[in-house]
Structures are given as C-alpha cells and as structure tokens.
Amino acid sequence: MTHAISSKVITVLGATGSIGVSTLDVVARHPDRFHIFALTANRNTEKLFDQCQQFRPKYAVMVDESAAEKLQGLLRNAGSETEVLSGTGALESVSADAAVDYVMAAIVGAAGLLPTLAAAKAGKRVLLANKEALVMSGRLFMDAVHEQGAELLPIDSEHNAIFQCMPSSTKNGQVVNNLAGVERILLTASGGPFRTWELSQLQNVTPEQAVAHPNWAMGRKISVDSATLMNKGLEVIEACWLFSVSPEAIEVVVHPQSTIHSMVSYNDGSVLAQMGNPDMRTPIAYGLGWPERLVSGVEPLDIFATARLDFERPDLARFPCLQLAYEAHAAGGYATIALNAANEIAVQAFLDQSIGFMDIPQLIEAVMQSAESGTPNQLEDIIIQDEDSRQAASFWLKKKKTH
Ligand code: NAD
Ligand code: MG
C-alpha cells in the first residue's frame, strides 16, 4: 500500500470502542496525513471487519482467538489483504512495530497496560486515553516515556484541556509543558447522572441509570466511573503523573454543563480554560495534529446557547470513590493498582447486577486495605498486585453472596 511520505502511521488499540471509533472518524477526514497500520479489538468481529474494509490496515488484532479466526475468514472472503493476529502479545507487537509513528491507547482498563507501555518503550507518539494504564504504572510509565523519547499526549478531555492551557514544546524529542506560574489545576467533572441525588436514593440505582451520562456518550465502564466519580479520582492520579504535580495542586470542580473541559490558574490571576462541545474528537484531533490543529468534525460551540456555566465542589460523602482515589495516591503505587483492579471488578459486578451502586466503594476500600505498601518499581510487581487485588475482590463478592 502506498501513502504520502509525510503521512503518519497509526495503530489504534481498542478501535471498536467509543474512543477508537471517534479516532477513526478524525483519521478518515485526513487521508493524506494518516495511514492505519493496525486496528485492535477484544472480540467485536463485525465492527472490526467493517473498519478493516474502510481503512485497510496491515494488521487486525482480536484478542479472542475464535473471533480472530472468524475475522480472518470474513476478510479473506472479501479479498482483503489484512492479516489477522490474536492474543495479547500481538497487541504489544503492533504497538511497538518499527513502522508505527503514533499509537492511540484506547483499550479500557488494565488490559491496556502492556500494549500502552510497549508503545512508550518503543518511543512512539502515545495518544493516551487509557487512563487506567497510567494509574497502574505511574512512575514506571513516565520513566519509559522519558527514557525512550516517546511523545505523550493526553486524550482524556480534561487532561487535554489542561495541556492546551499551558505552553507546550518539544525538548529532546519529548513533549513538555511549561508550568511556570501555574498555581492550580482546576479539573472539571460533570458530576455524572446522580449529581443531585440523595445518598439514600443512590442505594437503588440501576446499571441503565448509571450508564446514561448526561453529556458524554462513552463506553459502559467509564460511564459507571463517571457516575461514582471514580473517573475523577483516576483522573486526579492521571494528572499528577502527566503534569508532575501533587494532588494538592489539583482542585476538582463539578461543572455540570461540561462546556469547560478544565482550567489552569496562574500566579498573575489569569485563569485559562479550554471550552468546546463535549465530543472526544476535539482532544483526539489535537493529539493527532499537535502542534498543529486539525479539522475534527466537531460542531463549533454556540456561545449564545451556552447560557450558563455552573461550578460546585464535589461531595465526597455521596461519592466516596473520589476520596478513595486520593487515599490510594497518597498511600503509593500498590494502593493505586488495588484501587483500579477492585474498581474494575466492582463495576463489572454492578453492571451484572450482583452488587448495588454503593457497594462499589465498599469493595474497593476493602481491597485497598490488602494492598502492599509502597510503590512497585518493576512491571512484574505491578502485575502481581493487580492479580492479587482482583482475587481479593472476587473473594469479597463471594463472601457477600453467602451472607
Ligand atoms: P469502550 O468500552 O467503548 O471500548 C473499549 C475498547 O477496548 C474496545 O475496542 C474493546 O474491544 C477493547 N477491549 C476491551 N477489553 C479488552 C481486552 N481485555 N483486551 C483488549 N482489548 C479490549 O471504552 P471507551 O469508552 O472507548 O474507553 C477507552 C479508554 O479511554 C478507557 O480507558 C477510558 O477511561 C478512556 N476514555 C474514554 C473516554 C470516552 O469518551 N469514551 C473519554 C476519556 C477517556
Ligand atoms: Mg475525562
């Protein structure tokens, strides 16, 4: 396949998800600038097949082996030259491949850690949506970025907004922000679908109510995380690593309209905000184009229709997950791995209707208490803590069932 010399070669991890689909939407608007090397998914064969037909990647990866076989059959019948790989190792290969310039890290949860880390270790431009990977690996991930000269660009809308509100440049192949004069980062949160609900009402919310986000259309896991405010907790930790700041420098601001995507407050009294419609194609296009700006397909913000901008403090009593995230970050790397693993198990159990909404923080708190103290400095220790915490979470669920 031929493509313009200057075009960038991209692997999209988690291509069939909400971020993956938005990424491909932006890519499709710039056929001369971008070329898809690999698309990956867990097991959604039909969607990945359609995407392969449209973008003609060299590789398609399905983690699930039988899904991979099915996809290969479909593609062969359609006369496609895309080669299908399967298994988690293949995710790392298509991230680290020498032909790749940019990796969109948009797998959900801990499953994204190894391929995202592989992209950083291979010195790629890493477009980071998969916040769980950074929450789990923190220092190790940032060290890989620095040592290998990877270009890390945040895709999470808030972190992308913060990035946009600080001067950025390239230094020794790295993307760096100039934090001179920064006093505070104002990390906005929509507050989720239960922002105004009483604690007593929160006991009985259903998965359908929890995934119905007022402003953003997202995958189910992050939608539940937004409802519990765990998403904001993970984002505080994410911001600490991305911008090398302490949690005290970050203020969570509930802003129900989701028009401002975050702000940076400076020592001269200036507060810079990035605004726009809540559509992930804006931060995705920014990451793909940086330092240039690219057309994203997002409707311009109608400032006259934006009648009001409200701001509130988060309520940690009704949303204890945010508090747990602060505690985990203060306790160290092992605790944040436990926080993330327990949250993933808890959210799935809630979606399966085996536990209630307010059981989510209880399970996480219990699992965090069983975490090692301190911070792991090698990948193996991260993986072991993740597995141990998942086991502890499963055990908690079993115990709850029998009581
Ligand atoms: P999603 O559930 O819509 O998509 C997840 C993708 O990951 C799918 O392509 C799926 O096939 C793949 N996947 C799932 N499990 C996998 C596994 N075990 N191994 C390999 N691949 C697997 O999720 P999403 O909403 O697109 O979110 C993706 C990531 O981006 C998450 O980390 C989320 O926190 C982050 N993020 C999403 C949004 C958003 O608007 N959706 C905004 C900010 C950050
Ligand atoms: Mg976000």
Side-chain angles (χ1 to χ4, degrees):
M1 168 147 299
T2 56
H3 49 92
I5 308 277
S6 63
S7 86
K8 296 295 181 192
V9 177
I10 307 180
T11 283
V12 182
L13 300 170
T16 56
S18 165
I19 295 287
V21 167
S22 292
T23 301
L24 292 176
D25 182 281
V26 176
V27 164
R29 291 167 198 274
H30 303 278
D32 299 338
R33 286 187 81 117
F34 303 114
H35 170 75
I36 299 292
F37 177 77
L39 297 174
T40 87
N42 197 22
R43 62 169 92 91
N44 188 341
T45 317
E46 285 72 27
K47 202 159 185 175
L48 198 59
F49 172 74
D50 290 342
Q51 293 178 335
C52 286
Q53 287 296 84
Q54 187 181 352
F55 293 94
R56 310 212 158 270
K58 185 153 197 261
Y59 295 108
V61 182
M62 301 236 74
V63 175
D64 185 89
E65 208 170 306
S66 62
E69 268 170 40
K70 194 172 153 205
L71 178 65
Q72 186 71 79
L74 288 172
L75 285 168
R76 227 178 266 133
N77 284 343
S80 164
E81 284 171 21
T82 297
E83 190 180 326
V84 181
L85 309 173
S86 88
T88 51
L91 296 174
E92 291 179 63
S93 316
V94 298
S95 294
D97 196 288
V100 173
D101 298 306
Y102 296 0
V103 174
M104 167 54 78
I107 290 173
V108 59
L113 174 63
L114 295 180
T116 305
L117 199 54
K121 285 182 177 163
K124 307 301 185 193
R125 175 176 291 200
V126 182
L127 304 168
L128 184 73
N130 182 200
K131 65 195 89 186
E132 297 93 341
L134 184 55
V135 166
M136 291 175 74
S137 60
R139 167 64 46 222
L140 202 93
F141 186 87
M142 296 310 291
D143 284 350
V145 166
H146 295 137
E147 280 158 22
Q148 305 306 322
E151 291 184 323
L152 181 59
L153 285 153
I155 298 303
D156 210 347
S157 58
E158 296 78 2
H159 305 74
N160 190 271
I162 295 161
F163 185 97
Q164 292 197 43
C165 293
M166 300 191 293
S168 57
S169 59
T170 312
K171 204 170 151 190
N172 306 328
Q174 316 257 282
V175 181
V176 290
N177 286 114
N178 182 350
L179 271 78
V182 170
E183 291 220 311
R184 250 174 144 53
I185 286 173
L186 304 173
L187 184 72
T188 58
S190 70
F194 309 131
R195 181 177 58 88
T196 59
W197 290 36
E198 300 290 334
L199 186 56
S200 58
Q201 296 175 285
L202 290 177
Q203 311 285 354
N204 301 316
V205 306
T206 65
E208 287 62 41
Q209 290 170 319
V211 301
H213 196 277
N215 307 335
W216 298 91
M218 309 181 287
R220 285 165 72 78
K221 192 258 176 184
I222 184 175
S223 297
V224 176
D225 286 349
S226 299
T228 59
L229 287 201
M230 178 56 89
N231 185 49
K232 216 43 58 183
L234 298 175
E235 289 186 358
V236 169
I237 300 171
E238 182 185 13
C240 288
W241 288 116
L242 285 173
F243 304 112
S244 304
V245 295
S246 66
E248 293 75 47
I250 302 170
E251 179 115 54
V252 173
V253 181
V254 175
H255 165 49
Q257 289 89 2
S258 297
T259 300
I260 292 176
H261 300 306
S262 278
M263 297 169 265
V264 177
S265 174
Y266 287 88
N267 58 7
D268 63 356
S270 298
V271 178
L272 302 191
Q274 187 258 350
M275 298 167 72
N277 285 317
D279 187 322
M280 289 306 292
R281 289 176 301 174
T282 295
I284 290 166
Y286 188 85
L288 284 169
W290 185 89
E292 289 174 51
R293 292 211 180 245
L294 299 180
V295 166
S296 67
V298 176
E299 286 290 311
L301 182 68
D302 180 350
I303 203 74
F304 297 106
T306 310
R308 35 185 308 172
L309 301 173
D310 293 311
F311 304 101
E312 304 162 5
R313 286 180 201 284
D315 179 351
L316 298 178
R318 283 182 305 136
F319 301 102
C321 285
L322 178 55
Q323 177 65 30
L324 290 173
Y326 280 112
E327 287 168 16
H329 187 66
Y334 283 115
T336 61
I337 297 163
L339 173 93
N340 179 68
N343 182 54
E344 287 188 26
I345 300 281
V347 168
Q348 192 54 54
F350 168 70
L351 288 171
D352 295 341
Q353 295 183 296
S354 6
I355 59 171
F357 188 72
M358 292 310 287
D359 291 328
I360 295 174
Q362 288 202 21
L363 190 165
I364 296 166
E365 189 172 15
V367 171
M368 267 169 59
Q369 279 161 6
S370 67
E372 300 269 336
S373 59
T375 297
N377 44 34
Q378 47 181 3
L379 184 57
E380 292 70 30
D381 296 336
I382 293 176
I383 291 167
I384 290 170
Q385 181 65 70
D386 178 61
E387 283 168 358
D388 287 354
S389 299
R390 280 165 202 273
Q391 252 176 32
S394 304
F395 184 68
W396 188 95
L397 287 171
K398 267 197 207 117
K399 227 171 68 187
K400 187 175 166 66
K401 232 185 196 164
T402 54
H403 276 95

